[in-house]
Amino acid sequence: MQHILEELEIRRQRAREGGGEKRIASQHAKGKLSARERIALLLDENSFEEYDMFVEHRCNDFGMGDQRIPGDGVVTGWGTINGRTVYVFSKDFTVFGGSLSMSHAQKIVKVQRAAARVGAPVIGIFDAGGARIQEGVDSLAGYADIFMENVLSSGVIPQISVIMGPCAGGDVYSPAMTDFIFMVKDTSYMYVTGPDVVKTVTNETLTHEELGGARLHSSKSGVADGAFENDLETMTQIRRLVDFLPGSNREKSAIRESYDDGDRIERSLDTLIPSNPNKPYDMKELILKVVDEADFFEIAPDYAKNIICGFARMEGQTVGVVANQPMALAGVLDIDASKKGARFVRFCDAFNIPIVTLVDVPGFMPGAKQELGGLIKHGAKLLFAFAEATVPKVTVITRKAYGGAYDVMSSKHLRGDVNYAWPTAEIAVMGSKGAVEIIFRAEAGDPAKLAEREAEYKSRFANPFVAAQRGYIDDVIMPHSTRRRIAKALRSLKGKTVSNPWKKHDNIPL
Amino acid sequence: MFSKILIANRGEIAVRVIKTCRRLGIKTVVVYSEADADSMAVEMADETVFIGPAPAAQSYLVADKIIAACKETGAEAVHPGFGFLSENAGFAQRCADEGIVFIGPNPGAISAMGDKIESKKFAQAANVSCVPGYIGEIADTAHAVKIGEEIGYPVMIKASAGGGGKGIRVAWNRKDVEEGFPAVRSEAKASFGDDRIFIEKFITSPRHIEIQVMGDKHGNVVALFERECSIQRRNQKVIEEAPSPLLDEKTRKAMGDQAVALAKAVNYDSAGTVEFVAGQDKSFYFLEMNTRLQVEHPVTELITGLDLVEQMIRSAYGEKLNIDKNLKINGWAIESRIYAEDPYRKFLPSIGRLVRYNPPAEGERDGYTVRNDAGVREGDEISMFYDPMISKLCTWAPTREAAIAGMGRALEDFHIEGLGHNIPFLAAVMDQERYKSGALSTNYIVDEFPEGFSGTAPTPFQTDVMTAVAVAMHRIQSTRLGQKPRDAWQVFVGKAEKRSVAVTASGHDLSIELNDEGRTLALDRYDWRPGSATFRGKLNGVPFTVEVRPANEGFVIRHRAAKRQVLVLTPMSAELHERLPEKEAADTSRMVISPMPGLVVSMDVVLGQEVKEGEQVCIIEAMKMQNIIRAERDGTVKAVNAKSGDPVAADEVLVEFG
């Protein structure tokens, strides 16, 4: 009897070895941890329950019959992050380069389905070479099975992808369909076609980093939502992100006990807006001073910096913060900012996370490049996302809210629940100067007259009171009381229920 | 007494004057520029008068506007503070002509002391000791040697037109003069086209010591002891103290007597400062007299118990000096100037918004007294238009040792966010044995920080503090998340220090056993909550405050000048940390990085251009200062990421080389 039990331990040991000591050492030498080490860092101590550690591939072509390693290049299972269940799969580069076989895909699909069933996030860790070419179409079928689960789970459970090594070809599309992608600087890259193919097709010579490095994707392409220094930091931050999220769309996010008084007053916010209207200020200061404990998990901090998106808490309750950033491009809405903001708003709405919107927006970005790039349709995404969102929506206009961008930024007209403005707010069709130049075109040659008109227009519209008189703004609030007012508004909205008309799904301008 | 005084200044000194006026029941008027419209001084003053745009030349320096403001508000007197119009004899005279009392010395005294040569003549006449030297024509080397012998070595041979380190030599003996004089002369001729040379006593390792004097309109002048201001950076005072650790009673009296004699010689009738350069042998020589209240006056106030602003006001009003002739020095006071500058980046100015500003509480603490003279509040801006000083932090204690210890603690309790500041640097000085020993010199900073400042390595106590603080914070956080915290941890303090610890039960708020050392860290009286940027407590009975900032992993903890990232890890996680190789720092030599936030004034390279090391790449303007950014290596420009007119952040990559 005893030796039968021991046999299990021997088999487990073999599975845990993955591709063997040598390959793991080479993984370490590259600055990367092994698939199991990553899971150990991600999950609470000793909480990992592994599935399918004995699964092997069933391919006998091209010599694969002699090479079988238990686990088949991916470690799967579930565990907890600060006590809350998450499902996880972690590609093992030391086993067949982490390449995807049918059995490998089935392991992933198993955790995807389990996660959707119980309502828990799935975290996928990628470090792999792509399809198991020896398996041919089976490998492609495996990919599609994973894609299908990604799509079915989208909006049901949070799906997070962490790219910690190569991720190319078919492997990139599963992360692409998840909610968030994070990368590790210098040791990860992702692209549809690698440098060799690119060289053949377009004759461009590019490095992995130039074609798909973490810096590129987190700052220029917008594919990644963040990049971290190394595996350890990355896992710590993914844990932090998961703490903000609900397990599924069936639950509200976990409430964390707050040590921060909801009524806290911040006097220094009264001087946040510079007296010069063209001078920028850092919107992040407002966010950090308003939310609980200055704890803010920013999504895509290096991409489309003119809009800030991220998770925070108000009195312990997770909220999504969307804010224009005057420090970057004056906070203007352009194609990238609209896409970034829209995707974030839709995530929040899908997972019952209230949205706090902080507005200082001079409008949409003018220019041929933007128009050519389809600003109309991309800008409409953000408008669409805010409009369809049924979660509690609290908006504070700090300074500029001009033109169509005013409408877009979670305005009253898009079912904003509570819309506040600071006394410094200017809610208008456009800046006073531009407005006067159009209205009084006939006086264009008379600068003195124009200046007078501008002053007149300014005193009439460059304030929050016109909007407040019409009820588009619920109240004009003191900057120092912003936290208190948002906290109270969110408290009042706890019981909010609104639903959109029945439809199969909407048709957002993709 | 005056019923209303106008303060022709801004910032902390305006606030300082208002405080005294309030105590004396005098109404105050503050003038302000555009940049100061919402300042603390404006908020505190009884009346305010707007005097124009931010640049001082268009506001605080315009005598007409100040006089008009006095008339408009009916202020009977003007306190000029320091800087701006404070040493402008013309302005003092103008006030007198307009029937407004200038709270400062009479115009005659200001002009007598305002001219360097004139003031030396007065000093010589008043038998004040001046730096021995020879200003006349020097015929030849033999003559130079004769002068050198007369003055006594070492001497400095200096070209009259000299500058930038050229045309200066120190001669330690006759031979040095024989070699040096012709050399300096030909260098002077070649570099400046002017071969006039002068020779004066060279004071090795000089100290800056100054005497505070106070006079009235009745011919009385008293000396209020000395201040030592030897800790300077590029002639900018950084740390001052009173009294000076150098002086004995005899020297103090001699200096005081000379200062009083000089003041009397010019009918000095207000607060003033006679500056001396002193040798380590207590020899001292007159430098100049400042005819105003000095920035560092609080240290004198702390050791005398006097209010110098009050004395100035009374004296200006015509009252007789009422200072005890037997006044004795009481204790020791130190002043640290908190500047908006980044010590880690060669002290570059770091202006901006005070996102967080939490100074230590003023008043008596255990064993020391804190005074913080500031004119800013949280949310205020340190602007490019004026001096980048944020505040003057002073501590007083019965002894120098206790005052230094108090300053160290007060600096720990000073929390600023939003801009770079020199608090870690000041704390580093307080922790230096040389500073504690009082062996000061105006070369102190150059001597002690020859490579600039990069923080200090943690002492064993600081490593203990960081360990205990990190474990405490980790515990608070995990308990809050409903996790049952484990007791055994591996703590990394920076990359070098790894310790295995265990939280144990004891009578302390938190006890942490250091497994490898058989010691226990007892942490008490801490009240940190997630989100707080400072952590105060007592470690093994010693009080401390550290700054804590969450990092992507763990916390960055700063105690005084020591800053480390601290991780609290499970043994498994610790092993993995050690397993990963150290990541090579990004190769920044291929990039040109903005050293500070500012505006690109010009971008001087284009794509594909060959650039040589040292070549100008672009100009960044910050604080109205143009900074030329140069290439650190040869290369071909591969990317230009900023253009003229772009605002750039610190560390932003401006240009990349192939």
Side-chain angles (χ1 to χ4, degrees):
Chain A
M1 188 64 204
Q2 192 58 33
H3 74 277
I4 296 176
L5 299 185
E6 275 165 12
E7 167 74 12
L8 172 61
E9 205 36 59
I10 290 164
R11 279 176 174 270
R12 277 182 174 168
Q13 195 48 42
R14 201 179 303 148
R16 285 195 197 107
E17 279 162 10
E21 223 169 276
K22 224 171 110 191
R23 288 211 175 94
I24 292 178
S26 131
Q27 182 86 347
H28 288 156
K30 285 183 218 152
K32 303 196 292 183
L33 294 174
S34 75
R36 279 167 206 284
E37 288 166 344
R38 286 165 173 163
I39 290 177
L41 281 176
L42 176 66
L43 301 179
D44 293 339
E45 226 180 333
N46 302 321
S47 75
F48 183 48
E49 293 284 317
E50 187 168 347
Y51 288 161
D52 294 339
M53 88 192 305
F54 306 118
V55 163
E56 292 178 357
H57 69 76
R58 296 183 292 275
C59 173
N60 290 312
D61 295 321
F62 302 106
M64 285 306 286
D66 322 329
Q67 303 180 46
R68 295 188 204 276
I69 299 176
D72 204 32
V74 64
V75 182
T76 61
W78 68 277
T80 58
I81 291 180
N82 287 315
R84 297 170 58 227
T85 301
V86 296
Y87 283 78
V88 58
F89 62 90
S90 177
K91 302 233 176 190
D92 188 347
F93 194 75
T94 68
V95 177
F96 306 125
S99 62
L100 185 127
S101 69
M102 182 44 103
S103 327
H104 177 127
Q106 282 167 343
K107 284 182 70 172
I108 294 174
V109 168
K110 192 193 259 187
V111 290
Q112 286 179 307
R113 287 188 180 151
R117 213 155 48 228
V118 305
V122 174
I123 298 162
I125 298 171
F126 293 81
D127 183 0
R132 185 95 43 94
I133 302 169
Q134 295 89 336
E135 291 205 7
V137 74
D138 271 352
S139 177
L140 299 183
Y143 273 128
D145 291 345
I146 295 168
F147 300 157
M148 197 60 229
E149 291 306 321
N150 283 136
V151 172
L152 293 178
S153 291
S154 183
V156 179
I157 50 171
Q159 302 181 76
I160 300 169
S161 302
V162 195
I163 317 299
M164 308 188 84
C167 180
D171 263 3
V172 302
Y173 286 109
S174 171
M177 288 191 291
T178 60
D179 298 302
F180 301 107
I181 298 177
F182 295 94
M183 295 181 76
V184 186
K185 287 180 194 164
D186 304 315
T187 47
S188 78
Y189 49 88
M190 67 189 299
Y191 38 61
V192 176
T193 42
D196 297 344
V197 179
V198 170
K199 174 82 185 160
T200 330
V201 177
T202 69
N203 208 24
E204 291 171 290
T205 308
L206 293 166
T207 62
H208 295 301
E209 188 67 27
E210 285 164 341
L211 202 53
R215 281 179 192 84
L216 172 97
H217 284 315
S218 61
S219 68
K220 296 214 166 74
S221 77
V223 165
D225 296 291
F228 301 108
E229 281 307 319
N230 55 40
D231 285 16
L232 307 147
E233 201 183 284
T234 308
M235 287 308 160
T236 310
Q237 289 300 309
I238 301 296
R239 286 177 62 88
R240 188 172 154 239
L241 171 62
V242 168
D243 280 345
F244 282 98
L245 306 179
S248 73
N249 65 346
R250 305 194 282 275
E251 61 182 61
K252 303 233 172 216
S253 52
I255 301 275
R256 187 177 76 176
E257 182 196 347
S258 171
Y259 287 122
D260 204 346
D261 184 2
D263 290 339
R264 176 166 51 80
I265 294 292
E266 278 287 349
R267 288 277 159 211
S268 58
L269 290 179
D270 289 346
T271 55
L272 182 65
I273 305 295
S275 27
N276 178 348
N278 296 321
K279 219 182 134 194
Y281 60 92
D282 191 353
M283 186 62 94
K284 273 186 203 159
E285 179 179 341
L286 173 59
I287 298 172
L288 294 176
K289 285 185 173 175
V290 162
V291 303
D292 286 359
E293 300 163 17
D295 190 6
F296 181 55
F297 189 100
E298 193 173 351
I299 296 297
D302 297 321
Y303 174 72
K305 291 181 181 179
N306 34 336
I307 199 162
I308 306 170
C309 300
F311 298 106
R313 294 181 183 84
M314 290 297 288
E315 298 190 294
Q317 155 81 53
T318 296
V319 295
V321 179
V322 180
N324 309 110
Q325 170 59 292
M327 298 280 274
L329 300 172
V332 76
L333 289 177
D334 58 5
I335 292 171
D336 291 350
S338 303
K339 288 196 298 192
K340 173 178 161 184
R343 197 163 159 73
F344 182 74
V345 167
R346 280 168 64 89
F347 178 85
C348 292
D349 189 44
F351 291 99
N352 313 316
I353 298 170
I355 299 167
V356 174
T357 308
L358 306 171
V359 184
D360 185 350
V361 65
F364 278 99
M365 179 88 126
K369 203 172 155 202
Q370 289 285 319
E371 296 294 354
L372 201 63
L375 177 64
I376 294 173
K377 285 229 164 176
H378 292 296
K381 288 177 183 171
L382 185 57
L383 171 61
F384 199 111
F386 269 124
E388 71 172 339
T390 56
V391 290
K393 292 188 281 193
V394 178
T395 305
V396 180
I397 299 171
T398 59
R399 191 165 63 174
K400 294 169 191 165
Y402 288 167
Y406 153 73
D407 279 345
V408 170
M409 293 303 293
S410 199
S411 64
K412 197 69 176 172
H413 325 289
L414 303 183
R415 299 189 293 182
D417 293 298
V418 179
N419 294 64
Y420 289 136
W422 284 6
T424 43
E426 298 174 18
I427 303 162
V429 176
M430 54 178 24
S432 307
K433 194 164 178 284
V436 165
E437 278 166 7
I438 294 169
I439 304 172
F440 303 102
R441 195 164 280 159
E443 292 166 15
D446 188 348
K449 191 88 186 165
L450 273 188
E452 194 184 304
R453 297 286 195 194
E454 191 185 330
E456 192 186 327
Y457 189 90
K458 216 177 171 111
S459 68
R460 177 77 181 88
F461 290 114
N463 61 60
F465 297 103
V466 182
Q469 279 160 9
R470 285 159 173 73
Y472 303 155
I473 292 296
D474 296 300
D475 197 4
V476 180
I477 64 170
M478 287 301 276
H480 65 248
S481 65
T482 305
R483 173 173 166 83
R484 185 167 58 89
R485 301 298 295 262
I486 294 177
K488 280 174 88 171
L490 288 168
R491 254 180 261 157
S492 76
L493 292 167
K494 284 239 149 77
K496 178 185 177 184
T497 50
V498 171
S499 48
N500 291 328
W502 186 91
K503 54 182 101 174
K504 188 170 172 198
H505 63 68
D506 55 43
N507 188 17
I508 188 166
L510 284 174
Chain B
M1 185 41 63
F2 300 117
S3 59
K4 193 188 277 183
I5 288 176
L6 181 138
I7 300 156
N9 214 304
R10 60 175 301 282
E12 61 91 12
I13 190 59
V15 170
R16 161 79 191 83
V17 176
I18 291 172
K19 281 181 181 165
T20 293
C21 289
R22 278 187 175 176
R23 191 167 52 76
L24 299 177
I26 301 168
K27 291 248 178 299
T28 51
V29 182
V30 158
V31 293
Y32 66 94
S33 74
E34 241 162 50
D36 289 330
D38 297 316
S39 73
M40 185 174 176
V42 165
E43 185 187 78
M44 286 175 72
D46 297 305
E47 287 175 65
T48 58
V49 180
F50 174 69
I51 51 163
Q58 297 169 53
S59 49
Y60 296 105
L61 284 169
V62 183
D64 285 345
K65 291 186 177 176
I66 308 295
I67 300 286
C70 287
K71 296 205 161 151
E72 183 191 325
T73 56
E76 305 144 75
V78 175
H79 195 300
F82 36 69
F84 299 139
L85 295 167
S86 62
E87 291 180 282
N88 184 323
F91 177 70
Q93 186 58 54
R94 177 82 193 281
C95 287
D97 295 346
E98 302 273 356
I100 299 160
V101 178
F102 178 79
I103 303 174
N106 62 74
I110 298 177
S111 42
M113 290 294 111
D115 184 283
K116 294 227 166 181
I117 296 178
E118 195 79 352
S119 71
K120 288 232 161 87
K121 282 184 186 158
F122 269 104
Q124 267 158 355
N127 282 322
V128 173
S129 80
C130 296
V131 181
Y134 187 86
I135 301 172
E137 185 91 4
I138 302 172
D140 51 21
T141 306
H143 188 194
V145 168
K146 185 164 164 277
I147 294 165
E149 308 271 289
E150 274 170 21
I151 295 171
Y153 296 112
V155 297
M156 187 161 61
I157 306 168
K158 209 168 161 184
S160 294
K166 275 192 174 160
I168 284 192
R169 278 218 191 173
V170 176
W172 297 86
N173 49 46
R174 184 192 180 106
K175 192 166 155 275
D176 285 353
V177 180
E178 284 168 355
E179 286 172 16
F181 180 76
V184 172
R185 176 168 268 189
S186 60
E187 208 174 291
K189 179 96 183 152
S191 302
F192 315 111
D194 175 354
D195 67 354
R196 283 176 305 148
I197 303 293
F198 69 89
I199 296 178
E200 67 174 23
K201 175 113 188 136
F202 176 73
I203 295 144
T204 49
S205 200
R207 301 172 72 132
H208 177 115
I209 297 176
E210 59 190 28
I211 301 289
Q212 174 72 51
V213 294
M214 186 67 223
D216 65 14
K217 293 187 193 299
H218 308 276
N220 302 305
V221 179
V222 294
L224 296 172
F225 317 113
E226 78 281 4
R227 292 184 288 260
E228 172 150 12
C229 319
S230 296
I231 310 294
Q232 309 183 348
R233 205 181 62 78
R234 294 189 181 166
N235 296 320
Q236 172 84 272
K237 293 169 185 170
V238 181
I239 297 168
E240 301 100 334
E241 60 186 290
S244 160
L246 178 72
L247 300 195
D248 51 32
E249 209 41 63
K250 193 175 134 226
T251 318
R252 177 171 296 126
K253 182 158 187 322
M255 290 177 85
D257 288 348
Q258 290 194 8
V260 169
L262 176 63
K264 284 192 169 166
V266 294
N267 297 318
Y268 204 82
D269 54 355
S270 186
T273 297
V274 181
E275 295 192 340
F276 293 94
V277 55
Q280 299 293 344
D281 59 358
K282 300 192 180 70
S283 59
F284 60 90
Y285 310 98
F286 171 73
L287 273 181
E288 61 177 338
M289 180 169 185
N290 294 327
T291 56
R292 56 172 155 85
L293 188 67
Q294 207 88 336
V295 174
E296 59 274 22
H297 74 275
V299 290
T300 299
E301 295 185 326
L302 286 166
I303 61 159
T304 59
L306 295 170
D307 178 335
L308 290 177
V309 173
E310 176 186 347
Q311 294 295 331
M312 287 176 82
I313 294 171
R314 291 193 181 282
S315 169
Y317 190 68
E319 286 182 20
K320 267 193 179 170
L321 272 189
N322 183 18
I323 296 174
D324 183 0
K325 280 206 188 74
N326 297 316
L327 186 71
K328 292 265 180 302
I329 293 174
N330 174 29
W332 212 286
I334 298 175
E335 173 180 282
S336 293
R337 297 193 188 187
I338 316 289
Y339 280 113
E341 62 187 16
D342 190 341
Y344 301 99
R345 292 169 183 260
K346 298 175 181 164
F347 295 91
L348 278 171
S350 176
I351 52 162
R353 183 173 152 85
L354 289 166
V355 173
R356 290 287 179 209
Y357 174 77
N358 289 315
E362 292 189 295
E364 235 182 292
R365 311 269 283 269
D366 24 310
Y368 61 99
T369 302
V370 176
R371 167 172 168 179
N372 184 45
D373 280 27
V376 291
R377 300 148 301 186
E378 189 164 284
D380 282 356
E381 185 103 7
I382 302 296
S383 82
M384 62 172 83
F385 298 106
Y386 314 107
D387 186 64
M389 194 165 74
I390 301 169
S391 89
K392 304 185 309 203
L393 179 66
C394 300
T395 53
W396 176 93
T399 63
R400 185 169 189 267
E401 195 186 354
I404 293 172
M407 179 58 76
R409 286 287 294 129
L411 288 166
E412 285 177 29
D413 280 328
F414 211 133
H415 175 69
I416 294 174
E417 276 176 42
L419 40 74
H421 56 78
N422 63 341
I423 290 173
F425 174 76
L426 296 165
V429 175
M430 290 302 138
D431 281 340
Q432 283 182 326
E433 285 312 316
R434 178 173 165 196
Y435 182 76
K436 289 183 197 167
S437 78
L440 313 184
S441 129
T442 53
N443 302 325
Y444 187 95
I445 291 177
V446 175
D447 290 349
E448 297 297 317
F449 303 92
E451 309 292 323
F453 176 75
S454 55
T456 58
T459 61
F461 172 73
Q462 288 176 321
T463 305
D464 287 351
V465 165
M466 291 177 186
T467 305
V469 166
V471 170
M473 292 190 296
H474 191 273
R475 212 170 168 79
I476 290 167
Q477 286 183 324
S478 50
T479 311
R480 187 243 302 253
L481 287 166
Q483 293 301 93
K484 192 170 156 281
R486 59 180 288 135
D487 291 329
W489 297 101
Q490 302 283 315
V491 179
F492 285 70
V493 180
K495 278 162 191 142
E497 180 80 22
K498 182 190 153 191
R499 330 175 97 178
S500 152
V501 308
V503 175
T504 57
S506 73
H508 296 282
D509 293 354
L510 188 67
S511 282
I512 300 157
E513 213 172 278
L514 302 177
N515 298 340
D516 304 328
E517 299 175 46
R519 284 193 300 135
T520 301
L521 306 177
L523 186 63
D524 287 298
R525 314 224 357 224
Y526 62 92
D527 56 359
W528 183 82
R529 283 288 169 265
S532 321
T534 51
F535 186 117
R536 292 174 60 98
K538 277 189 168 184
L539 185 74
N540 297 336
V542 182
F544 68 86
T545 311
V546 289
E547 237 172 50
V548 296
R549 186 169 55 77
N552 275 349
E553 242 197 311
F555 280 88
V556 173
I557 302 179
R558 179 177 71 82
H559 182 260
R560 302 200 177 187
K563 187 161 80 175
R564 287 290 181 270
Q565 185 169 356
V566 187
L567 310 179
V568 179
L569 304 170
T570 61
M572 181 274 299
S573 173
E575 205 187 313
L576 297 182
H577 273 75
E578 288 182 310
R579 198 168 288 168
L580 273 195
E582 187 72 37
K583 205 162 170 173
E584 277 174 49
D587 182 10
T588 54
S589 67
R590 299 170 79 90
M591 310 170 196
V592 178
I593 287 171
S594 172
M596 73 207 106
L599 195 74
V600 179
V601 177
S602 72
M603 176 53 71
D604 305 314
V605 295
V606 292
L607 209 63
Q609 186 178 332
E610 297 277 342
V611 177
K612 292 267 167 251
E613 184 188 326
E615 202 170 307
Q616 175 170 330
V617 173
C618 63
I619 300 177
I620 303 231
E621 186 184 278
M623 248 195 113
K624 291 269 160 191
M625 304 248 298
Q626 297 210 332
N627 298 274
I628 296 174
I629 312 297
R630 297 176 188 282
E632 280 176 24
R633 66 195 287 266
D634 297 354
T636 309
V637 176
K638 200 183 83 181
V640 178
N641 301 332
K643 59 182 189 305
S644 169
D646 284 355
V648 288
D651 286 336
E652 202 165 307
V653 179
L654 303 170
V655 170
E656 293 166 50
F657 293 126

